[in-house]
């Protein structure tokens, strides 16, 4: 998301001019994101944009300010495909009780919502609307298809966490697909183009190292908030990868491998100048503990851990406790 774009949209609306919203800027409306959903299409973004007025300018202004402040926030969209059904969505026997009013009206809307659940909208939402506004902004972006007649989309106003996959192993290919699916930005690194191919890593930024080793890692620089998964083929370049990750002080680094192999890697990592404290920062073995064995199963364990790390990084202990309590954990 682009802060300047949001400010420009707000200025145009305040000046009484029509605005255009593009799928490139709001990818939750892309054909890929909406694949299989017969109720909505990319055209709905244009219809929503055509209905915006000066009253909607504060939504975009608040979104721009959130980006400037580094707030964990989202720009949300209410899409109505059956106005009567949307307004008839009242309480049932299972969901939380919100009264006898369904959606506030049969019109689409753009709104702002942050993790503190501050909502900015041109029109006053109903209690059930508020529930869905909060629900659709629980993650990087999720669709909300809980009730008939309408749906909710969102785009995050914060950057994706970047995951570096060091090694184009089979497990790395599986991790790449799953990590991208749950909202990570993925960079895959290897020296062999046969393994680091578009077919194996279609959703990743691919970095092909020169030569037949990982010496080229020295030319790459991760950000402090990045995550690193050491998954090199045959574990040959695990030591180089671990040293690179800990020297750059990334937020998370994990390495595939068994206890015996890890002892060997330990000695090589220390010999390359890393400290024992840095070695202890490496999660070994990478991934949550359950009976994962195949590359696809290992990817589930690894990405589940990445999701958990991201959750704990972004949300305070108080917010985590509240979330767990709401789920009855």
């Amino acid at each position: 998301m682009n802060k300047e774009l949001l400010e420009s949209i707000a200025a145009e609306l305040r000046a009484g001019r029509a605005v255009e919203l593009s799928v490139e800027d709001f990818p939750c409306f892309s054909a890929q994101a909406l694949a299989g959903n017969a109720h909505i299409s990319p055209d709905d973004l244009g219809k929503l944009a055509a209905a915006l007025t000066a009253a909607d300018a504060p939504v975009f202004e608040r979104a721009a300010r959130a980006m400037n402040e580094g707030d964990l926030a989202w720009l949300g969209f209410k899409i109505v495909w059956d106005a009567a059904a949307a307004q008839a969505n009242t309480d049932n026997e299972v969901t939380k009780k919100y009264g006898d009013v369904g959606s506030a009206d049969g019109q689409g809307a753009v709104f702002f919502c942050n993790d503190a659940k501050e909502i900015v909208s041109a029109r006053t939402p109903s209690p059930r609307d508020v529930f869905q506004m909060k629900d659709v902004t629980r993650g990087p972006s999720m669709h909300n298809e809980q009730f008939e007649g309408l749906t909710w989309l969102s785009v995050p106003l914060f950057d994706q966490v970047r995951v570096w996959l060091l090694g184009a192993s089979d497990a790395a290919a599986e991790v790449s697909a799953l990590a991208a699916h749950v909202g990570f930005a993925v960079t895959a690194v290897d020296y062999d183009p046969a393994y680091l191919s578009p077919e194996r890593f279609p959703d990743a930024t691919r970095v092909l190292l020169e030569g037949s080793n990982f010496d080229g890692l020295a030319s790459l620089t991760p950000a402090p908030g990045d995550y690193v998964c050491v998954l090199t083929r045959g574990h040959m370049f695990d030591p180089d990868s671990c040293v690179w990750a800990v020297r750059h002080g990334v937020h998370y680094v994990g390495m595939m491998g068994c206890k015996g192999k890890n002892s060997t890697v330990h000695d090589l990592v220390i010999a390359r100048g890393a400290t024992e404290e840095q070695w202890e920062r490496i999660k070994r073995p990478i991934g949550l503990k359950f009976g994962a064995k195949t590359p696809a199963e290992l990817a589930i364990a690894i990405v589940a851990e990445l999701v958990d790390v991201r959750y704990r990084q972004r949300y305070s202990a108080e917010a985590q406790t509240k979330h767990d309590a709401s789920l009855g954990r």
Side-chain angles (χ1 to χ4, degrees), residues 210-247:
E210 294 184 359
S212 57
N213 54 46
F214 269 52
D215 291 351
L217 269 182
S219 66
L220 304 176
T221 304
D226 290 353
Y227 302 174
V228 173
C229 301
V230 178
L231 306 168
T232 69
R233 292 176 291 111
H235 306 296
M236 291 184 294
F237 299 104
D238 285 8
D240 308 82
S241 299
C242 287
V243 171
W244 179 81
V246 297
R247 282 181 176 170

Side-chain angles (χ1 to χ4, degrees), residues 165-215:
L165 303 179
L166 302 187
S169 61
D170 289 345
E174 296 283 359
V175 169
S176 178
L178 191 54
H181 186 62
V182 296
F184 289 99
V186 180
T187 296
V189 182
D190 204 289
Y191 61 85
D192 191 331
Y195 290 96
L196 191 68
S197 65
E199 292 77 17
R200 284 167 61 85
F201 294 89
D203 300 313
T205 298
R206 300 181 305 281
V207 178
L208 184 66
L209 302 175
E210 294 184 359
S212 57
N213 54 46
F214 269 52
D215 291 351

